[in-house]
Amino acid sequence: MPAISIFTQVKASLEELDVTLVAVSKTQSNVHIMRRYELGQRIFGENRVQELAQKQATLPKDIIWHQIGHLQTNKVKVIAPFIALIHAGDSLKILRKINDEALRCNRIIDVLLQAKVAQEDAKFGFDLVELANEALLKEIAALPNVQICGLMGMASFVADEEQIKLEFRTLKNLFDTLKDSHHFNQESFQFLSMGMSGDYALAISEGSNMVRIGSLIF
Ligand SMILES: *Cc1c(COP(=O)(O)O)cnc(C)c1O
């Protein structure tokens, strides 16, 4: 089936489920992005800052851009003026930097905390101990120009569905615990970003309400 038909089907089925689709457009040309834009897609995700800035400058201004991959501190200023949501809030250092750059732009930037639950040696994200650390959570919540809007995570890149399911379940439990902890604004803390092309159905069955899908729909 052509990718554009798969895109249309995936988009419709996610709308039905009330799950937000982040169309991951990294490495895709403006032409490919525009075909999906014309079919109603507005949220696009990128993981490279230069590519993101270039696309933001040339594509329609009502596109809602998400930063999905690990972000280096020295690159934050490039996206701070326009980024709608940063999924990779993976360290206190980057959150502080986002806060500084948001302040400079006179903005409050929406960010997800990235949790590290995968078995394989995932490099980025807060581990379970950190996400239970009251002092750390208070420090994050006190950053005035960062709004924590939920949690993002990735499952291990393995074939074992049971392991993937358990990791998604761990992320959902963490999300619920953090939401109930009242550290973060209750209305804003609403997104659980988990699931990619290969595992998004499983992620949704485990409680995801935001999926980041690239290769399947492009
Ligand atoms: C590339 C990427 C995706 C999308 O992956 P696909 O397998 O192409 O759907 C999702 N999340 C992150 C963080 C990515 O870098």
Side-chain angles (χ1 to χ4, degrees), residues 94-189:
I94 196 74
L95 293 171
R96 283 184 177 140
K97 184 66 180 178
I98 294 167
N99 187 64
D100 291 347
E101 296 297 339
L103 182 63
R104 253 183 235 275
C105 302
N106 197 23
R107 295 187 67 205
I108 293 177
I109 297 183
D110 288 348
V111 182
L112 304 179
L113 296 179
Q114 183 172 348
K116 187 164 56 179
V117 298
Q119 291 299 305
E120 45 192 34
D121 51 350
K123 276 184 290 186
F124 302 114
F126 292 101
D127 63 29
L128 302 188
V129 175
E130 289 172 309
L131 289 174
N133 180 332
E134 293 283 316
L136 176 62
L137 296 175
K138 281 196 167 67
E139 192 168 348
I140 293 170
L143 295 169
N145 290 66
V146 164
Q147 179 88 265
I148 301 297
C149 294
L151 202 66
M152 180 271 214
M154 277 182 269
S156 299
F157 195 68
V158 293
D160 181 0
E161 265 203 13
E162 278 309 306
Q163 186 183 336
I164 296 170
K165 195 188 281 188
L166 277 177
E167 290 172 2
F168 284 149
R169 202 163 285 180
T170 303
L171 285 166
K172 174 65 161 76
N173 286 335
L174 263 174
F175 173 78
D176 290 340
T177 304
L178 283 169
K179 191 165 177 66
D180 292 343
S181 77
H182 291 258
H183 280 294
F184 307 110
N185 181 294
Q186 288 290 290
E187 268 168 47
S188 306
F189 197 92

Side-chain angles (χ1 to χ4, degrees), residues 24 26 47 68-69 152 154 195-198 212-216:
V24 176
K26 63 189 186 203
N47 67 343
I68 57 165
M152 180 271 214
M154 277 182 269
M196 316 186 355
S197 289
R212 311 175 308 273
I213 303 182
S215 45
L216 179 68

